[in-house]
Amino acid sequence: MSRRTDVVVIGGGQSGLAAGYHLRRLGIEHVILDARPAPGGAWQHTWESLRLFSPAAYSSLPGRLMPVQEGQVYPDAAHVIAYLADYEKRYELPVQHGVWVDAVHRDGAFLRVETDCGGWRARAVISATGTWTRPFLPAVPGRRDFAGRQVHSAHYQGPRDFAGQRVIVVGGGNSGAQIAADLTGHADLTWVTRRPPRYLADDIDGRALFDHATARRRALDEGRADTGGVASLGDIVAVPPVRAARDAGLLAVRQMFSRLTVGGVEWADGTQAEADAVIWCTGFRPALAHLAGLRLRGTRGHITTSGTRSVEDPRFHFLGYGDWTGPASATLIGVGRPARETARQIRDLLD
Ligand code: FAD
């Protein structure tokens, strides 16, 4: 027997909570189903030394400023988790934790949401499942042959696990730079990237990135020329630990190896190096398995959307994930705007 509601939000991380905030403001009945037993979404899985790349006030969801963390300009993950737990409670958001959504089916005018705790019937679904459950590993020759340890950044916790080991960190983005910096002084580090790392200017943090994304949105909305995404500024935010390691000359990079061997890697010139572990900082893909079979067409793992709404079926919205659901929508401060627009469009659909 299925329960009834107007909207099911799948995922109770920051994106799902921002959706709940705006649905509640518009008086739309909904439920938020989240697989994790506790609040915090993917912030529950980050490595110990991770700090936000924006100050607290620039890391806020709609309606409530993130409080400053004592003694820290850039808050840590525990502070974000506490903020999200408080946010959920403060706005009495109807989150059901520990509920895994297996699939969504079309059922006439309704959508049927199947979970490991029974089913729901709804008139619209917001998918806000993030990317953490889908780490991406590139197809590198020899990956299965390597006898050492392979870890994705999704599961990296800290340098302790790699003390004294020969570690290869793969990836030229923020995770690669931050984990490489984290390992300096603990492991024998080799950092490899496909192209030379592109650091943002030292005075650019998440604030400037958000302003840039907002200016771009405004330009596009007003029919002006595209000012370019934040990627046009660089790939790596020079957060203090990265800056310190880089300036101390500890973040040298090598060009990506050509293959993994049983005991390490082979470089493009044919020479080899031994390694105990490889840490893949190679990104994520949207976690959308629960929508497989619905034929919501898209490319490169993204579903085709207009704003956050599926072009194929307007009862489906997508929040978070990346720029394809709105500029900076996978950040704390950036998800508010697309969440508000999503709630408004759903109100119009229900009307
Ligand atoms: P998530 O936090 O992943 O939440 C999704 C939720 O959905 C999870 O609780 C998950 O369990 C649940 N779920 C998934 N599948 C299902 C299912 N089938 N059924 C039920 N529940 C499901 N952003 C910033 O704003 N500032 C930063 O400084 C910053 N730094 C970052 C640093 C790193 C290294 C990374 C990786 C990201 C960073 N981000 C930062 C980006 C961003 O804030 C996070 O990726 C954020 O967690 C995305 O939130 P979300 O709610 O979309 O997804």
Side-chain angles (χ1 to χ4, degrees):
M1 180 69 185
S2 291
R3 288 151 285 181
R4 275 280 316 268
T5 187
D6 281 333
V7 183
V8 171
V9 181
I10 308 175
Q14 63 201 38
S15 301
L17 298 188
Y21 173 87
H22 283 293
L23 290 169
R24 185 174 181 275
R25 283 196 83 182
L26 296 181
I28 299 172
E29 192 188 306
H30 65 285
V31 64
I32 302 171
L33 306 177
D34 186 57
R36 299 284 309 165
W43 294 103
Q44 294 167 89
H45 307 287
T46 62
W47 55 91
E48 285 158 24
S49 68
L50 185 124
R51 295 285 178 279
L52 294 189
F53 47 67
S54 308
Y58 271 73
S59 305
S60 302
L61 291 179
R64 165 122 177 101
L65 274 186
M66 181 185 284
V68 171
Q69 183 176 15
E70 213 180 311
Q72 303 274 358
V73 176
Y74 299 101
D76 62 20
H79 189 70
V80 181
I81 294 168
Y83 168 73
L84 294 178
D86 173 70
Y87 190 91
E88 188 179 311
K89 215 159 118 192
R90 179 177 294 261
Y91 294 111
E92 298 175 335
L93 299 177
V95 186
Q96 297 193 6
H97 282 287
V99 180
W100 176 258
V101 174
D102 293 311
V104 181
H105 304 284
R106 294 190 180 92
D107 189 357
F110 292 94
L111 297 170
R112 199 154 36 81
V113 179
E114 307 288 355
T115 83
D116 58 359
C117 299
W120 287 85
R121 266 155 68 90
R123 293 165 67 199
V125 159
I126 300 175
S127 192
T129 47
T131 58
W132 186 84
T133 52
R134 278 199 65 203
F136 173 73
L137 290 176
V140 172
R143 212 180 72 207
R144 292 184 200 286
D145 302 332
F146 180 59
R149 203 167 144 205
Q150 297 189 56
V151 179
H152 189 276
S153 63
H155 302 110
Y156 173 80
Q157 292 189 321
R160 234 182 0 251
D161 298 342
F162 300 93
Q165 297 185 11
R166 295 159 298 185
V167 182
I168 299 194
V169 172
V170 183
N174 283 303
S175 303
Q178 289 189 27
I179 290 176
D182 206 34
L183 287 166
T184 59
H186 299 275
D188 177 359
L189 168 73
T190 307
W191 182 25
V192 305
T193 61
R194 286 202 187 278
R195 58 179 183 184
R198 298 189 313 143
Y199 292 97
L200 291 142
D202 285 1
D203 59 344
I204 290 191
D205 64 9
R207 280 173 285 202
L209 292 178
F210 179 67
D211 290 345
H212 187 83
T214 308
R216 181 190 192 204
R217 174 78 274 151
R218 202 168 295 136
L220 293 175
D221 287 350
E222 292 169 2
R224 289 184 279 120
D226 190 348
T227 54
V230 289
S232 63
L233 301 176
D235 297 322
I236 300 169
V237 181
V239 291
V242 168
R243 206 181 309 162
R246 181 201 62 191
D247 294 350
L250 301 173
L251 286 187
V253 286
R254 279 199 76 156
Q255 178 75 22
M256 180 67 183
F257 48 80
S258 54
R259 68 181 182 102
L260 279 161
T261 62
V262 174
V265 296
E266 184 172 298
W267 303 106
D269 62 7
T271 58
Q272 297 195 347
E274 295 189 339
D276 301 303
V278 175
I279 304 179
W280 298 98
C281 303
T282 42
F284 297 84
R285 296 290 180 264
L288 296 171
H290 54 290
L291 303 180
L294 286 169
R295 295 175 193 277
L296 298 170
R297 272 183 294 136
T299 51
R300 293 172 48 231
H302 302 172
I303 286 168
T304 309
T305 53
S306 166
T308 65
R309 184 165 57 191
S310 159
V311 166
E312 205 74 30
D313 187 333
R315 295 174 296 176
F316 289 93
H317 284 259
F318 298 85
L319 264 187
Y321 299 114
D323 281 354
W324 59 282
T325 59
S329 61
T331 64
L332 284 153
I333 194 168
V335 74
R337 190 179 194 274
R340 186 183 61 204
E341 195 50 32
T342 297
R344 286 180 181 164
Q345 289 183 354
I346 288 179
R347 177 196 54 197
D348 295 346
L349 177 95
L350 298 179
D351 283 349

